[in-house]
Amino acid sequence: MAGKVFFSVSMSLDGFIAPQSSEELMGRQWMELQQWIFPLRFFRENLKLGRGGEEGRDNDIARETFERTGASIMGKRMFDAGETMWPEEAPFHTPVFVVTHEKRDPWERPGGTTFHFVHDGIETALDRAREAAGDRDVRIAGGGETILEYVNAGLVDEFSIALSPVLFGSGIRLFEGVDASRVALTQVRSEPSPKVTHLTYTVRRR
């Protein structure tokens, strides 16, 4: 049986998932948004930052999200930012399909991550990701525009938000431009932790 298509993001209380400019990534606001994940044992293991780290439900959720993912999809903006920031052993450890207009040969990294560049649309990228993922799930990694394309196309089964006690004021909103007339949600879980609240929803067509 084919796996699900999902996304999982951190979001500020006022609805933003990233600063407007890629130059602001790793800036103060973005670091505050992601502050729940940096100390986790799983995060440290995955990026090979050494032993130790926090355990608990936040750590379990981060690990579960990684383990369910058989392939990822991302937009060119996210790839461009990550190409300069990710370590040599990129943190995905699965095939990653980059939706882009650029024709480029696959880029293989140590540790099992290979970036494939798909220039003929989001559905083709998803078909290829499903094939690569097998019975595991496909994660729409980002950024916001790419997530929105998949949501509006009715191609997302569920999503999770780590709602962080941070205000951005401006930036990239998760659901800016969503076709609300076609998208309906059902809440599945709400799990508070000391740092964030984890919200999970299934998605269906109206």
Side-chain angles (χ1 to χ4, degrees):
M1 181 180 294
K4 296 178 179 179
V5 178
F6 79 103
F7 66 86
S8 178
V9 295
S10 298
M11 187 176 78
S12 69
L13 282 175
D14 51 348
F16 296 97
I17 60 171
Q20 190 67 50
S21 169
S22 57
E23 286 74 31
E24 296 176 87
L25 288 173
M26 305 303 288
R28 179 183 59 81
Q29 281 185 311
W30 190 86
M31 295 292 284
E32 289 178 354
L33 180 67
Q34 304 291 348
Q35 53 83 30
W36 71 275
I37 201 167
F38 295 135
L40 300 182
R41 176 182 288 273
F42 171 74
F43 180 83
R44 294 184 58 80
E45 288 175 357
N46 194 35
L47 271 73
K48 301 192 182 312
L49 299 176
R51 296 174 181 266
E54 297 178 3
E55 299 192 24
R57 188 60 185 138
D58 286 343
N59 190 65
D60 292 344
I61 288 172
R63 188 180 298 278
E64 289 162 7
T65 301
F66 175 83
E67 290 177 349
R68 69 183 285 193
T69 303
S72 294
I73 295 172
M74 69 178 60
K76 183 63 162 51
R77 182 180 185 271
M78 180 176 178
F79 173 78
D80 287 345
E83 188 175 16
T84 61
M85 294 193 310
W86 293 318
E88 183 180 12
E89 187 171 315
F92 302 96
H93 309 291
T94 65
V96 178
F97 296 87
V98 181
V99 180
T100 178
H101 297 296
E102 175 187 358
K103 292 186 178 181
R104 177 172 168 178
D105 291 334
W107 187 42
E108 185 174 352
R109 310 303 296 148
T113 300
T114 300
F115 294 94
H116 302 271
F117 301 88
V118 182
H119 56 84
D120 47 358
I122 63 170
E123 293 192 9
T124 299
L126 181 55
D127 288 343
R128 293 183 60 184
R130 283 190 188 277
E131 184 177 1
D135 59 359
R136 294 165 72 193
D137 296 338
V138 173
R139 179 179 185 179
I140 312 301
E145 183 177 333
T146 301
I147 289 172
L148 190 66
E149 283 189 83
Y150 278 96
V151 170
N152 282 342
L155 297 173
V156 172
D157 298 308
E158 68 177 44
F159 64 88
S160 296
I161 293 171
L163 190 63
S164 184
V166 177
L167 297 173
F168 264 41
S170 64
I172 296 174
R173 286 190 184 275
L174 177 56
F175 292 115
E176 186 74 42
V178 70
D179 187 352
S181 67
R182 299 178 60 196
V183 178
L185 308 177
T186 300
Q187 184 164 304
V188 178
R189 279 189 306 279
S190 175
E191 297 184 67
S193 80
K195 294 182 179 178
V196 292
T197 299
H198 299 279
L199 304 170
T200 303
Y201 302 86
T202 56
V203 185
R204 66 185 190 279
R205 288 183 181 271
R206 283 194 183 276

